[in-house]
Amino acid sequence: MSEEKSLNFIEQIVEDDIANGVNGGRVLTRFPPEPNGYLHIGHAKSIVLNFGLAQKYNGKTNLRFDDTNPVTEDTEYVESIKNDIRWLGFEWANELYASDYFEELYQFAVKLIEKGLAYVEDATAEEIAAAKGTPTTPGTPTPARSRSVEENLDLFARMRKGEFKDGEKTLRAKGDLASPNMHMRDPLMYRIKHAHHHRTGDAWCIYPMYDFAHGQSDSIEKITHSICTLEFIPHRPLYDWFIKELEIFPSHQYEFARLNINYTVMSKRKLKLLVEEGFVSGWDDPRMPTISGLRRRGYTPASIRELCERVGVQKRDHMIELSLLEFCIREELNKTANRVMAVLDPVKLVITNYPEGQVEELTADNNPEDENAGSRTLHFSKTLYIEREDFMENPTKKYFRLGPGLMVRLKNAYIIKGESVEKDENGNITTIYATYLPESKSGGDSSGINVKGTIHWVSAAHAAKAEIRLYDRLFTSENPNGEEADFRTFINPNSLQVINEAYVEPSLSVAKPGDRFQFLRKGYFAVDQDSTSEKLIFNRTVTLKDTWAKEVRKEA
Ligand code: ATP
Ligand code: MG
C-alpha cells in the first residue's frame, strides 16, 4: 500500500490505537464466516479489509467459523471457504470454530446467571415479542424474570441435559426493558435445538445466539479490532455490555458499509435458492457473484482485490456498479492475456487465387502490451473461417469489412477482396469466395493499398473446435433486492448463451483450465474447468468494452 494514500477510517482508528499503546500496539483481526454457503464478493471485501489491516500493521488474522447454528452448516462449506480465502491470496494465523467455545460460553452464561443478569424464560417467541414493547413504549417483565438465581441455575443445567423440547425454554439476559435500543431489552442468549452439529455432533442441544457468541469469541481470542457491517451498529451496546459484565478481554466492534453490486444479489440465502432451484448450475456457475463463480468465469484474485481497494471503506451503504468490477479485470487482462483468434459464428471463406494445398506459417505477437510475451505461429491456407458478421452482401456506406468488391485485411496475413457467395436453399451464405493480394503480406506489405478494416480468421484445416459460453448479468433489475416482487422474478432469461461450434487457433488445444486469453475483437475468455483437449470449453469473462454503456448511449 502506498504511503501517500489517505487512510480509511478504520486504518485511522488502528493507527490511533497503536500510537496510544492500546493492547500494546498489537493488531489481531478475524474473518468470521458462517459455514452455511459459499463466499461471495461481499465477503471478499471483508477479507481484504481484515487481512489487509493485519498485513499493514504487523498483525494477524484469525479465520473463525461462526458455526453456532447447527441446522444450516456443513463441512463442504468450510472447505470451500478456506479454499476461496487462500485463492484470494490470504493466509490466516489460526483456524478456529465458535463451536470450540461452547463449554466456555456455557460457563459465561452461568456466571451471568450467578450475577443475577440472566434468567430462564418460559414464554414463547410470540409472547416474548409482545412483552418487549415498542421503541417508544417500554416492555413489561414476564413472570420468569423474577426467578431466583438458584432456580435459574437449575433450569439452565436441565436445558443443557435435554430435559426440554425445542422452544420450551430460552435463556435471556436481564437487560433494560425500557432501553430505546430493542436489542438491550432482555435479548436471547440461548435457544434449545435438538439438532446434530457438523462438529460437536450431539454433545449439545442448546446453542448460543449470535449476540452471545460473537463478542465472547472475539474476547476469548483477544481480537483487538472486530470489524463487521453497519447492520450490527445497534448490537454494539450489547456486545460491550456482555464483555463488561463478564469481565473478559475488551474486544471492540467497528462497522463499515457492506459491498453491494448492482444487477446481482449478495446473500448466501438467496444464492442458495438460485442453486437449489436450478436457476444456475451450482455455486460456481460463472454468473454467480461467488468467489468460486468469479474464478470459473476467469476473474483473477488481483482483480477482485483491486475492486475492494477501489471501493474503499465507507460508513454509509451504497451501490457499486458491476461495470467497475469488469473494469478491474479488463485492465489486468489487457496487460497479461495473450491475444489469439477465435471465430464464434463461423462462415467458410475460400481464397480462389491461393494455391491449393499450400500452408504458410505466419508469426503473430502474443501481446502487443507486453514485449516479453513472445510470439506464436499461425497457419494460413486456402480455406478459412471468418465471422459471419464480418461479411455483408449489400454493404452499407460505412461498412469497412468484407463484401463483394470490398477489401479488408486478415489479421497478421493478407489483404483480401470479396468476390462472390454460395448459399443454401434457405438463402444463408455457406461459402464466401475472395481473392488475396500476395504482395500485401503483413510485415512486408508492398501493395500500397490502405484498408480500413482488419478482421480475424482461423484456417479451417488447422482450427480446433470449441464450445464457447457467453454470459450476461444474472438479473434484469439493477437492485433485485429492492423491488417489491420476489428477487427471482428479475432473473435475466438471456444470461447464458452457448455456442457449440466455434473455431479457435490450434495453439489453444493445449490450454489448461483457468488459462486466460483475449480473443481478438471478442473479449477475454478463460478455459472452463470441464474443458479437455478433446472438448475445449471457454467462458467469456468480459467483453472488450462495456457493451451496456454503449446501449445506454444509444438510448440517450
Ligand atoms: P450473507 O447475508 O451473505 O449470509 P453474512 O453477513 O450472513 O452474509 P457471514 O458468513 O456471517 O455472512 O459473514 C462473514 C463476514 O463477512 C462478516 O463479518 C460479514 O459482515 C462480512 N460480509 C458479509 N457480506 C458482506 C458484504 N456484502 N460486504 C462486506 N462484508 C460482508
Ligand atoms: Mg450471517
Side-chain angles (χ1 to χ4, degrees):
M1 240 166 268
S2 70
E3 289 298 318
E4 317 85 67
K5 219 176 123 193
S6 67
L7 301 178
N8 67 52
F9 79 97
I10 294 190
E11 289 171 329
Q12 190 62 61
I13 290 168
V14 172
E15 292 207 355
D16 290 347
D17 284 351
I18 293 172
N20 294 326
V22 178
N23 296 315
R26 188 177 58 89
V27 174
L28 180 60
T29 58
R30 88 287 171 261
F31 175 64
E34 192 182 342
N36 61 349
Y38 282 62
L39 295 184
H40 51 62
I41 189 163
H43 293 111
K45 170 83 232 186
S46 172
I47 290 169
V48 169
L49 178 57
N50 279 295
F51 285 87
L53 275 175
Q55 283 176 353
K56 185 167 180 184
Y57 297 108
N58 254 323
K60 289 189 170 131
T61 305
N62 283 347
L63 168 60
R64 183 200 315 139
F65 289 99
D66 215 333
D67 57 347
T68 54
N69 186 359
V71 268
T72 55
E73 295 157 5
D74 205 307
T75 42
E76 175 199 344
Y77 299 136
V78 168
E79 291 311 313
S80 77
I81 289 169
K82 283 163 42 176
N83 185 37
D84 287 349
I85 298 173
R86 288 208 172 103
W87 181 76
L88 282 171
F90 299 103
E91 191 61 49
W92 47 91
N94 302 291
E95 176 184 333
L96 303 162
Y97 293 81
S99 57
D100 290 341
Y101 309 138
F102 280 169
E103 183 61 40
E104 230 165 327
L105 294 171
Y106 180 85
Q107 297 305 334
F108 284 158
V110 168
K111 181 169 175 178
L112 289 183
I113 294 174
E114 285 168 343
K115 287 180 84 172
L117 294 175
Y119 62 97
V120 173
E121 177 64 271
D122 312 307
T124 63
E126 295 72 35
E127 288 163 349
I128 292 173
K132 257 198 171 175
T134 68
T136 48
T137 57
T140 44
T142 55
R145 200 174 201 259
S146 46
R147 277 200 163 112
S148 69
V149 168
E150 289 66 36
E151 197 186 351
N152 280 320
L153 286 172
D154 175 59
L155 283 172
F156 189 48
R158 288 167 55 198
M159 276 171 67
R160 175 181 184 165
K161 273 194 213 139
E163 287 187 23
F164 306 108
K165 292 200 280 292
D166 288 8
E168 215 177 316
K169 302 242 181 290
T170 53
L171 185 74
R172 296 178 75 181
K174 201 178 269 187
D176 174 4
L177 287 175
S179 171
N181 181 340
M182 299 299 279
H183 293 279
M184 297 303 289
R185 295 191 185 182
D186 293 15
L188 293 196
M189 292 166 60
Y190 271 88
R191 65 206 188 292
I192 299 173
K193 227 171 213 175
H194 291 271
H196 191 82
H197 186 280
H198 74 112
R199 295 192 88 235
T200 57
D202 299 313
W204 294 88
C205 65
I206 57 170
Y207 291 94
M209 304 298 292
Y210 172 90
D211 282 322
F212 193 67
H214 203 93
Q216 285 60 257
S217 303
D218 286 343
S219 182
I220 291 168
E221 295 171 19
K222 298 194 165 54
I223 299 296
T224 57
H225 299 83
S226 174
I227 301 161
C228 59
T229 44
L230 294 180
E231 65 273 22
F232 289 97
I233 289 177
H235 296 250
R236 195 192 326 135
L238 186 56
Y239 181 106
D240 292 339
W241 186 82
F242 280 134
I243 284 180
K244 179 175 76 97
E245 296 300 344
L246 290 167
E247 301 158 62
I248 53 179
F249 178 82
S251 295
H252 285 285
Q253 174 184 305
Y254 304 93
E255 308 87 7
F256 74 104
R258 59 193 300 122
L259 175 67
N260 297 307
I261 296 184
N262 63 4
Y263 296 104
T264 192
V265 294
M266 207 113 73
S267 125
K268 278 177 285 181
R269 193 182 57 78
K270 287 180 179 159
L271 295 174
K272 196 170 180 195
L273 285 177
L274 294 178
V275 174
E276 286 172 351
E277 294 174 7
F279 289 107
V280 293
S281 63
W283 285 96
D284 66 350
D285 186 298
R287 292 166 291 179
M288 292 280 269
T290 50
I291 304 300
S292 48
L294 291 167
R295 175 167 58 232
R296 190 167 180 180
R297 178 85 170 249
Y299 276 83
T300 60
S303 65
I304 295 174
R305 294 195 303 262
E306 174 67 14
L307 175 85
C308 296
E309 295 293 345
R310 280 177 180 268
V311 167
V313 184
Q314 256 91 45
K315 284 186 189 178
R316 248 185 240 162
D317 277 322
H318 56 289
M319 185 76 87
I320 295 296
E321 310 262 331
L322 184 58
S323 56
L324 182 61
L325 177 63
E326 296 182 338
F327 171 84
C328 292
I329 187 65
R330 221 180 257 129
E331 285 275 286
E332 181 180 340
L333 293 180
N334 180 43
K335 294 189 201 109
T336 59
N338 281 351
R339 275 59 171 165
V340 292
M341 295 199 275
V343 177
L344 273 47
D345 185 10
V347 62
K348 200 175 270 181
L349 174 92
V350 175
I351 301 171
T352 53
N353 61 340
Y354 195 84
E356 187 80 47
Q358 178 173 310
V359 177
E360 266 178 278
E361 294 196 345
L362 308 173
T363 307
D365 281 343
N366 282 332
N367 185 352
E369 301 285 320
D370 178 4
E371 55 187 33
N372 299 317
S375 60
R376 68 192 187 289
T377 300
L378 298 173
H379 298 90
F380 190 82
S381 66
K382 189 179 177 80
T383 305
L384 313 174
Y385 287 119
I386 64 168
E387 297 287 350
R388 194 166 281 279
E389 64 172 18
D390 283 339
F391 180 86
M392 232 177 157
E393 204 178 358
N394 299 300
T396 50
K397 221 171 162 198
K398 289 202 169 158
Y399 191 78
F400 298 124
R401 288 170 275 169
L402 199 59
L406 288 187
M407 289 202 266
V408 76
R409 174 170 293 282
L410 294 172
K411 178 76 179 169
N412 293 115
Y414 296 95
I415 294 175
I416 55 168
K417 183 171 161 196
E419 303 290 348
S420 61
V421 296
E422 206 167 273
K423 295 181 181 177
D424 64 13
E425 62 273 23
N426 300 318
N428 297 315
I429 295 174
T430 53
T431 310
I432 299 164
Y433 294 95
T435 50
Y436 85 119
L437 276 60
E439 69 279 17
S440 67
K441 191 166 174 175
S442 289
D445 183 357
S446 60
S447 70
I449 294 176
N450 267 325
V451 290
K452 283 206 168 124
T454 300
I455 63 173
H456 59 277
W457 54 274
V458 291
S459 167
H462 300 89
K465 209 168 108 178
E467 176 178 317
I468 292 183
R469 300 173 183 169
L470 305 177
Y471 302 98
D472 202 348
R473 319 163 152 162
L474 192 47
F475 290 92
T476 54
S477 161
E478 184 160 6
N479 184 5
N481 297 303
E483 306 272 358
E484 260 174 41
D486 185 287
F487 75 102
R488 285 164 288 194
T489 51
F490 300 101
I491 289 189
N492 176 5
N494 303 315
S495 61
L496 170 62
Q497 185 199 341
V498 179
I499 297 172
N500 292 307
E501 249 192 83
Y503 288 97
V504 301
E505 279 183 25
S507 65
L508 288 182
S509 54
V510 294
K512 299 270 171 311
D515 286 355
R516 303 175 180 92
F517 301 92
Q518 184 193 101
F519 288 1
L520 283 178
R521 302 171 66 220
K522 288 291 158 190
Y524 294 101
F525 291 75
V527 183
D528 188 73
Q529 63 198 37
D530 293 339
S531 184
T532 63
S533 51
E534 280 75 49
K535 187 178 194 310
L536 294 171
I537 306 172
F538 294 90
N539 295 318
R540 184 165 68 193
T541 310
V542 68
T543 53
L544 290 178
K545 291 199 188 94
D546 189 340
T547 51
W548 283 97
K550 209 167 62 197
E551 289 293 316
V552 173
R553 273 202 302 278
K554 247 192 257 164
E555 281 162 27

